[in-house]
């Protein structure tokens, strides 16, 4: 099964596993890795972290607070936010993250969620505009910032972070701190890759991104429209027409428009 088909299989689940989704994305861009290898590395990371606490602290890691776990995974000896090459596509590819121990807020949050799940924690992602935080089920008083060494962030500090990024003229809404759905998170990972490959002028990898986005339920129409446009600019007119044929099903409200585009 190719990476796009596997990603589609993951995304049709009611609540897709983020580690499997991120592994499939990496496999779509890096032929040297497999899903089995990447999931095994996450298992090993979780086991290593748990063993360290049993040996050094004399207690099971699941007895730590969410804040202590976040600092353990993202602190000085852990995974770091990539301040120097923030927009690099490497920060969105799981194998590269694990090798470099670097990432961006969203991918570090996914790492925290999935390593945490293996260690008995129940974390979730918070897709604030322009930033990503990690929350914990049952803990409404504080959040965690994996990009900033896993530090604890209060609701007020999250509000201040939003205004520092976007300006006081923009209104902060409480929904910005609501849990993000797994499909939304995976789509946002792909949006970051999309922006990176546009910036690099890399149409081959941009096509891969759009193919992956096109199989996420609820996001197919926009991705397919962009893919058809990309293929047409490359002179691949028959391929672009086939995409418009697919859009006749995905976007029936614009049936005639897609028929005209396919013929053109």
């Amino acid at each position: 099964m190719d990476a796009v088909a596997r990603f589609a299989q993951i995304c049709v689940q009611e609540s897709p596993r983020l580690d499997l989704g991120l592994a499939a994305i990496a496999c779509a861009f890096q032929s040297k890795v497999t899903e089995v290898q990447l999931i095994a590395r996450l298992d090993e990371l979780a086991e290593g972290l748990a063993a360290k606490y049993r040996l050094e602290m004399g207690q099971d890691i699941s007895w730590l607070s969410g804040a202590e776990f976040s600092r353990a995974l993202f602190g000085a000896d852990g995974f770091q936010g990539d301040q120097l090459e923030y927009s690099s596509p490497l920060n969105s590819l799981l194998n590269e993250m694990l090798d470099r121990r670097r990432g961006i807020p969203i991918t570090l949050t996914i790492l925290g969620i999935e390593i945490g799940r293996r260690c008995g924690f129940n974390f979730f992602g918070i897709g604030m505009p322009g930033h990503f935080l990690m929350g914990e089920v049952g803990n409404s008083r504080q959040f965690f910032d994996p990009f900033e060494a896993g530090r604890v962030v209060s609701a007020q500090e999250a509000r201040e972070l939003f205004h520092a990024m976007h300006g006081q003229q923009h209104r902060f809404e409480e929904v910005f701190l609501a849990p993000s759905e797994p499909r939304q998170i995976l789509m946002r990972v792909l949006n970051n890759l999309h922006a990176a490959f546009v910036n690099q002028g890399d149409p081959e990898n941009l096509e891969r991104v759009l193919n992956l986005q096109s199989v996420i339920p609820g996001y197919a129409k926009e991705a397919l429209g962009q893919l058809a446009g990309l293929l047409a600019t490359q002179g691949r007119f028959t391929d672009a027409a086939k995409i418009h044929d697919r859009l006749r099903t995905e976007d029936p409200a614009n049936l005639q428009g897609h028929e005209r585009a396919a013929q053109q």
Side-chain angles (χ1 to χ4, degrees), residues 170-186:
H170 293 284
R171 179 184 175 187
F172 181 87
E173 300 180 25
E174 294 303 320
V175 71
F176 293 163
L177 294 177
S180 296
E181 295 294 327
R183 289 193 191 103
Q184 293 175 327
I185 295 174
L186 293 173

Side-chain angles (χ1 to χ4, degrees), residues 71-102:
R71 285 193 294 269
L73 186 60
F74 302 114
D77 298 325
F79 286 82
Q80 306 289 307
D82 192 341
Q83 303 277 2
L84 297 178
E85 298 182 281
Y86 187 95
S87 60
S88 170
L90 300 181
N91 287 320
S92 297
L93 301 178
L94 180 57
N95 61 307
E96 297 288 353
M97 283 181 59
L98 295 175
D99 288 344
R100 299 164 65 242
R101 297 179 73 81
R102 294 287 186 273

